[in-house]
């Protein structure tokens, strides 16, 4: 029995790979549904345009996976005897490290260093990538703890010197407000999501109750002159924290419940001897895989094309089919599927009920419908991957997902800080213009660049060079 939740690694890997893919395809030659729903065919951002596409799922899926990891990290350490105070300290430290990571990488993207990009920018980007290794990984050499700590502190000092002494494009200077917003949001979730889980790990109802209070705070903040608006707008560190960031707990916390379902099943699994691949649930598993994918795709299509009533009816029928036909009396791993399916169904329907509110589902500005729909779809995606990875044990075919999910920090930056600079230094960048001629080539560029990023990540994972906070 592998002591890792491979389905969770695979979900995290899917999220990070599609995140890289969505950033590397040539969007201006692709149809609107290949980008964020709020950037229609003319690819001009329109905050009034409702709907979601597959691109709008990548970040919530990653947040969901982050929350699902809490029972495997925080709760496991608590069971080993770590105090709540120590766990809170570790959560704060992780959030600060991720914040530094967000600021550091943002300043050393080649386009931030020079315009147009030049050799200096590409070399500095590669140097940034190299410095991140001693900063976020434990050197695989036998040495005392103080030596490891000294190397890590030294790497942070080198990074700080680089930030302070580097000149940037268009005369810009170092700024704490210049950071990677994706990583900054993850840093806030690492702190506040972890702390919320630490104090509610034994009572998920309290955890959900706090989310309702958070919803009340967010809705109350829209009233001018209210105390909730004052709390919402207050920030002691505007470059790091805004109350508005806490809204992503509506994805992280449901993820923590999914992680608990996984952890509970893994404990029971170790006591079982059945070969799931030959169990009576084999046919059911195939139907659930198909059903999960169909529900995800149909909701993306229905919400993007705004066929809301048809989408709602189809979704309800599909969910009833899963609930009444395939998941009636089950046990073992099928009980895990039932829990994931039920939770996903409830959140998805909740999100569809919220859809008319706030002028339709939107990623930016985010709506409650977006939080609940994407969380529901994340449950179904985890169900699909649980069947693939943990039931049928398709290890080889999912290795690229699992290994990328085990090393997400490298996967996120290796393309911008290593692969693209190398392509430019080798004089191959001019070939990329060839991919801007039509939609097929535009998508192919993303596939090629993403594949290179995945291969690089798999290499570092294979040699056990992990970045950790």
């Amino acid at each position: 029995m592998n002591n890792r939740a491979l389905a969770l690694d695979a979900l995290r890997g899917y999220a990070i790979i599609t995140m890289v893919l969505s950033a590397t395809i040539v969007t201006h030659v692709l149809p609107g549904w290949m980008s964020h729903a709020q950037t229609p065919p003319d690819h001009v951002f329109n905050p009034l345009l409702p709907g979601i596409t597959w691109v709008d799922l990548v970040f919530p899926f990653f947040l969901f996976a982050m929350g699902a990891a809490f029972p495997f990290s925080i709760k496991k350490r608590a069971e080993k005897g770590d105090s709540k105070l120590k766990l809170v300290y570790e959560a704060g430290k992780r959030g600060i490290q991720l914040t530094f990571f967000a600021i550091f990488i943002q300043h050393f993207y080649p386009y931030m260093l020079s315009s147009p990009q030049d050799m200096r920018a590409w070399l500095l980007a590669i140097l940034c990538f190299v410095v991140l290794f001693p900063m976020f990984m434990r050197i695989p050499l036998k040495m005392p703890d103080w030596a490891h700590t000294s190397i890590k502190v030294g790497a942070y000092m080198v990074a700080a010197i680089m930030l302070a002494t580097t000149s940037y494009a268009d005369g810009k200077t170092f700024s704490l407000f210049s950071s990677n917003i994706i990583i900054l949001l993850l840093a806030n979730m690492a702190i506040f999501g972890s702390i919320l889980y630490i104090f509610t790990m034994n009572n998920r109802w309290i955890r959900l109750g706090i989310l309702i209070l958070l919803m009340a705070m967010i809705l109350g903040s829209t009233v001018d002159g209210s105390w909730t608006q004052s709390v919402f707008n207050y920030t002691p560190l505007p470059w790091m924290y805004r109350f508005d960031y806490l809204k992503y707990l509506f994805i992280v916390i449901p993820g923590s419940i999914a992680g608990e379902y996984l952890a509970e099943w893994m404990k029971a699994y170790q006591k079982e001897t059945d070969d799931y691949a030959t169990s009576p649930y084999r046919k059911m598993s195939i139907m659930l895989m198909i059903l999960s994918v169909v529900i995800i795709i149909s909701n993306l299509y229905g919400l993007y094309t705004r066929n809301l009533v048809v989408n709602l009816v189809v979704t309800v029928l599909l969910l009833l089919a899963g609930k009444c036909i395939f998941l009636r009396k089950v046990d073992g791993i099928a009980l895990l599927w039932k829990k994931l399916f039920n939770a996903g169904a409830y959140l998805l329907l909740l999100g569809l009920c919220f859809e008319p509110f706030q002028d339709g589902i939107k990623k930016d500005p985010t709506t409650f419908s977006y939080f609940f729909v994407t969380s529901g779809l994340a449950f179904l995606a985890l169900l699909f991957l649980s069947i693939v990875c943990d039931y049928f044990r398709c290890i080889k075919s999912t290795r690229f997902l699992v290994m990328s999910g085990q090393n997400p920090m490298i996967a996120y930056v290796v393309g911008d800080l290593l692969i693209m600079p190398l392509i430019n230094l080798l004089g191959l960048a001019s070939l990329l213009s060839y991919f801007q001629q039509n939609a097929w080539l535009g998508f192919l560029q993303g596939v090629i660049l993403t594949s290179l990023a995945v291969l690089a990540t798999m290499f570092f994972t294979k040699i056990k060079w992990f970045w950790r906070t």
Side-chain angles (χ1 to χ4, degrees), residues 125-330:
I126 294 174
L127 177 60
C128 170
F129 185 74
V130 172
V131 171
L132 288 168
F133 277 91
M135 193 182 302
F136 290 106
M137 69 170 281
R138 188 175 178 86
I139 305 299
L141 298 174
K142 291 185 178 180
M143 60 179 71
D145 288 342
W146 64 265
H148 284 288
T149 302
S150 298
I151 292 173
K152 186 177 292 289
V153 171
Y156 275 98
M157 292 178 63
V158 169
I161 292 171
M162 289 172 62
L163 288 169
T165 59
T166 300
S167 57
Y168 301 96
D170 302 322
K172 295 180 180 177
T173 58
F174 166 75
S175 172
L176 289 172
F177 290 91
S178 180
S179 62
N180 184 287
I181 186 59
I182 298 295
I183 304 299
L184 188 62
L185 290 171
L186 291 175
N188 277 262
M189 293 302 97
I191 296 174
F192 296 102
S194 296
I195 291 175
L196 177 55
Y197 186 77
I198 289 167
F199 290 99
T200 63
M201 68 177 74
N202 296 317
N203 194 327
R204 65 182 61 140
W205 290 110
I206 294 178
R207 206 179 313 153
L208 294 174
I210 292 175
L211 285 186
I212 295 176
L213 292 176
L214 177 60
M215 178 184 290
M217 289 286 294
I218 293 174
L219 293 176
S221 68
T222 60
V223 178
D224 291 337
S226 63
W227 68 269
T228 50
Q229 188 178 72
S230 298
V231 172
F232 188 87
N233 292 332
Y234 173 73
T235 172
L237 301 170
W239 51 272
M240 178 180 180
Y241 160 80
R242 284 168 41 193
F243 191 95
D244 187 50
Y245 296 161
L246 300 185
K247 62 191 178 184
Y248 290 100
L249 289 173
F250 287 103
I251 299 174
V252 173
I253 295 308
S256 71
I257 295 175
E260 288 174 339
Y261 291 158
L262 275 176
E264 291 165 2
W265 166 72
M266 289 179 70
K267 287 182 179 180
Y269 179 96
Q270 294 175 342
K271 300 176 183 178
E272 297 176 0
T273 58
D274 292 342
D275 184 356
Y276 288 131
T278 60
S279 75
Y281 299 127
R282 186 179 182 88
K283 290 183 178 179
M284 176 205 295
S285 66
I286 296 174
M287 296 306 299
L288 284 176
M289 287 173 61
I290 296 172
L291 189 62
S292 298
V293 172
V294 170
I295 291 173
I296 292 173
I297 293 176
S298 66
N299 272 273
L300 289 176
Y301 177 81
L303 293 171
Y304 180 72
T305 59
R306 310 307 295 158
N307 292 305
L308 303 181
V309 175
V310 173
N311 179 65
L312 178 61
V313 172
V314 170
T315 298
V316 169
L317 292 176
L318 292 174
L319 293 176
L320 286 174
K323 176 68 176 176
C324 300
I325 300 176
F326 305 118
L327 292 168
R328 298 181 66 182
K329 295 181 179 180
V330 295

